[in-house]
Amino acid sequence: SCDDTGGDYVDIIAPPGGDSHRLMFAIGDVSGHGIGPALLMAGARGALRAMTLSRRNLADRAERLNQLVLNDAADSGHFMTLFMAEMDAVDGTLQWVRAGHDPAYLFDPQSQQFLELDGPGVALGLTDGAGYNPRFTSFLPGQILIMATDGIWETRNRENAIFGKKRLREVIRSHADQSAEVIKTHIIEAVSDYRGGARQTDDITLMVVQRLQG
């Protein structure tokens, strides 16, 4: 966090009933900084976890969460971006829903290609009755999923130049033969080194998921 409290959200949620081959990954960002955004984020986290327990699909979770955030934050002017992805390790699929959040990346070390996980969907808390459509792709052994908030690529150095997504992709590509934990560490270190002595002005949140060989 760039302040004492932050509005960034990151979570890994397993479905109920011992369905261990499925996992949901979520990352989000509430507008603004301080106690208000942090409380809104905490409420959204609890609601999303409750909806996962009821086995609702990703689109339904996003639509219901949109209404909750809209009702909760209508007078504050705050809103929340969110990216949710669910992996099924049995059939090797990855589905995702994007609600105003920057797309995630799926990197394939074999082809050295990045797939941008984009798609339509407005941020939560902006529009009454917003709809969200899930998208699907394969998540193959060896591939790497990277989810982050804009505090990564919008980090600025002393010359006020941004870190950018190109540098992020270069760091991922350079360390793709290492573990997810090591890749994450290299990204955070690269961002910190780039910022140098400049002040951190936004929260930084990052998740790296690597599908292991069977």
Side-chain angles (χ1 to χ4, degrees):
S1 298
C2 63
D3 296 320
D4 291 335
T5 59
D8 277 12
Y9 164 60
V10 64
D11 212 350
I12 301 174
I13 306 174
D19 197 1
S20 60
H21 68 277
R22 291 171 56 239
L23 279 176
M24 193 189 86
F25 312 108
I27 194 163
D29 187 0
V30 178
S31 61
H33 302 126
I35 294 295
L39 291 174
L40 181 59
M41 181 274 291
R45 174 188 182 275
L48 185 57
R49 281 184 161 260
M51 283 185 274
T52 302
L53 291 175
S54 65
R55 296 183 180 272
R56 297 187 181 278
N57 62 46
L58 288 187
D60 188 50
R61 292 174 214 173
E63 289 165 7
R64 289 173 177 266
L65 194 57
N66 174 63
Q67 293 302 125
L68 289 171
V69 173
L70 188 65
N71 295 338
D72 218 16
D75 297 331
S76 70
H78 293 301
F79 60 90
M80 178 179 182
T81 67
L82 180 69
F83 184 97
M84 293 186 292
E86 189 167 79
M87 177 190 72
D88 189 320
V90 172
D91 62 15
T93 60
L94 183 75
Q95 68 165 301
W96 73 92
V97 166
R98 193 169 76 91
H101 200 80
D102 280 274
Y105 286 117
L106 188 64
F107 180 66
D108 183 3
Q110 293 296 320
S111 65
Q112 291 288 296
Q113 296 297 311
F114 284 92
L115 175 64
E116 190 175 72
L117 306 184
D118 58 5
V122 299
L124 306 173
L126 290 180
T127 304
D128 189 19
Y132 301 89
N133 296 313
R135 294 194 170 192
F136 299 83
T137 191
S138 297
F139 191 6
L140 303 177
Q143 292 183 335
I144 302 163
L145 173 67
I146 303 96
M147 304 163 58
T149 59
D150 57 9
I152 296 280
W153 43 84
E154 291 183 1
T155 288
R156 295 180 179 271
N157 61 16
R158 288 188 172 184
E159 287 70 46
N160 205 36
I162 63 170
F163 182 78
K165 292 184 177 181
K166 182 179 179 181
R167 285 188 178 86
L168 172 61
R169 292 192 295 267
E170 289 172 350
V171 175
I172 296 165
R173 184 178 282 115
S174 297
H175 301 283
D177 60 338
Q178 299 174 292
S179 70
E181 182 68 26
V182 172
I183 295 169
K184 182 197 72 173
T185 299
H186 279 292
I187 293 172
I188 296 299
E189 288 178 349
V191 171
S192 179
D193 290 345
Y194 182 82
R195 185 173 63 247
R199 186 174 70 90
Q200 181 181 335
T201 59
D202 199 1
D203 303 332
I204 291 176
T205 304
L206 172 69
M207 183 189 296
V208 179
V209 180
Q210 186 177 50
R211 183 161 183 209
L212 301 179
Q213 301 288 341

